[in-house]
Amino acid sequence: MTYCVALRLNKGLVFMSDTRTNAGVDNFSMARKMFTWTVPGERSITIMTAGNLATTQALISVIEERSKVPDDRDPTILRVPTMFQVARLVGKTLKEVITESGGEGPTSDAKFRATVIVGGQINGGEPTLFLVYPEGNFVEISTDAPFFQIGETKYGKPILVRAYDPEMSFEDAVKLLMVSFDSTLKANLSVGLPFDVLIYENGSLDGPWQSRIEPDNPYYQSISTGWGEALREAFESLPAFER
């Protein structure tokens, strides 16, 4: 399994993904789930993936391969004019990969399913995010739905719903995501460190800031410990139930 989140702030976009993959309780490994393409001064695009690892790796490989084709008539994520067209192209490619992997039969492609978050900015347009489904269709981020999650979403969602604010700083957004990821990690063994983090500031088309949070990262350790203590203190401060 996996866990990925992308937030849209007034200042820009924030992405975070874990790196754990598993094929059973005794077969855990690590794989990158966040990928970035930048054409300096022209576009910056980030994709995060969740689902069948063979499918997501094939998707990224196809996107990479097609982006290197020199023929300008070929649609690639580095040539289409808008982020909407990028999401449309990623959705079409994902559906193509799943169909080719699935073989015959109406449900044979079910085990090859994957979900993708696509985000970024192309010069002349606004930064935005899209959630792309296995069927190839997609939805765009909105004021009512200001963040997207894929993978093991349920454990980390409550803190996002309660604490997200579009006016928050990038630093506070990363702190919020750290808490969300730590809550998910504590509840589900299929999500694990390291975490990949990416910050895209509006208009910074020369490339985003990226980092990897390792298990021994001091900031992550302080967040994990501090959040646990804060929860216990908050619980103890609540009024006792009276019979």
Side-chain angles (χ1 to χ4, degrees):
M1 202 54 173
T2 189
Y3 184 42
C4 302
V5 184
L7 301 171
R8 185 177 69 179
L9 307 176
N10 291 344
K11 297 176 181 293
L13 309 172
V14 183
F15 303 79
M16 187 178 287
S17 66
D18 84 319
T19 54
R20 176 166 289 184
T21 65
N22 71 290
V25 295
D26 60 348
N27 187 16
F28 289 101
S29 59
M30 191 175 76
R32 177 174 289 275
K33 303 165 189 177
M34 182 188 296
F35 307 89
T36 304
W37 294 262
T38 299
V39 179
E42 201 274 325
R43 70 183 62 204
S44 180
I45 298 167
T46 297
I47 293 177
M48 295 192 295
T49 61
N52 177 268
L53 183 59
T55 302
T56 58
Q57 288 185 340
L59 169 68
I60 298 302
S61 294
V62 171
I63 291 173
E64 282 274 16
E65 186 176 88
R66 291 177 179 173
S67 69
K68 296 174 182 176
V69 176
D71 188 349
D72 288 342
R73 295 170 298 178
D74 238 15
T76 79
I77 65 169
L78 299 185
R79 294 190 181 92
V80 293
T82 65
M83 285 300 302
F84 177 87
Q85 291 295 330
V86 170
R88 187 176 182 182
L89 187 56
V90 171
K92 180 181 178 181
T93 306
L94 177 59
K95 184 178 181 180
E96 175 186 319
V97 169
I98 292 174
T99 301
E100 290 179 353
S101 301
E104 301 295 330
T107 62
S108 60
D109 63 351
K111 62 183 179 180
F112 296 101
R113 294 173 72 83
T115 310
V116 176
I117 293 174
V118 179
Q121 184 177 21
I122 294 176
N123 194 19
E126 295 296 320
T128 190
L129 297 166
F130 295 89
L131 178 61
V132 183
Y133 298 104
E135 295 78 11
N137 56 331
F138 55 88
V139 294
E140 187 171 7
I141 204 82
S142 68
T143 303
D144 294 326
F147 59 84
F148 287 138
Q149 301 170 279
I150 54 175
E152 193 58 72
T153 61
K154 56 185 177 290
Y155 302 109
K157 187 173 184 178
I159 181 64
L160 298 179
V161 172
R162 288 179 179 270
Y164 167 83
D165 182 345
E167 291 286 348
M168 69 196 322
S169 66
F170 288 127
E171 292 77 12
D172 282 346
V174 172
K175 178 169 64 174
L176 175 61
L177 289 177
M178 287 281 195
V179 173
S180 178
F181 273 68
D182 184 64
S183 299
T184 304
L185 182 151
K186 293 290 194 297
N188 194 302
L189 290 175
S190 69
V191 174
L193 290 146
F195 300 146
D196 287 323
V197 185
L198 184 148
I199 295 173
Y200 177 79
E201 186 173 0
N202 293 346
S204 57
L205 293 168
D206 288 334
W209 177 89
Q210 300 183 66
S211 184
R212 172 161 284 192
I213 308 299
E214 300 288 352
D216 60 351
N217 181 277
Y219 180 69
Y220 168 72
Q221 293 297 332
S222 67
I223 289 293
S224 181
T225 302
W227 179 244
E229 293 173 352
L231 281 177
R232 285 189 291 272
E233 291 174 4
F235 175 76
E236 290 170 0
S237 70
L238 294 173
F241 174 72
E242 297 181 4
R243 294 190 290 169

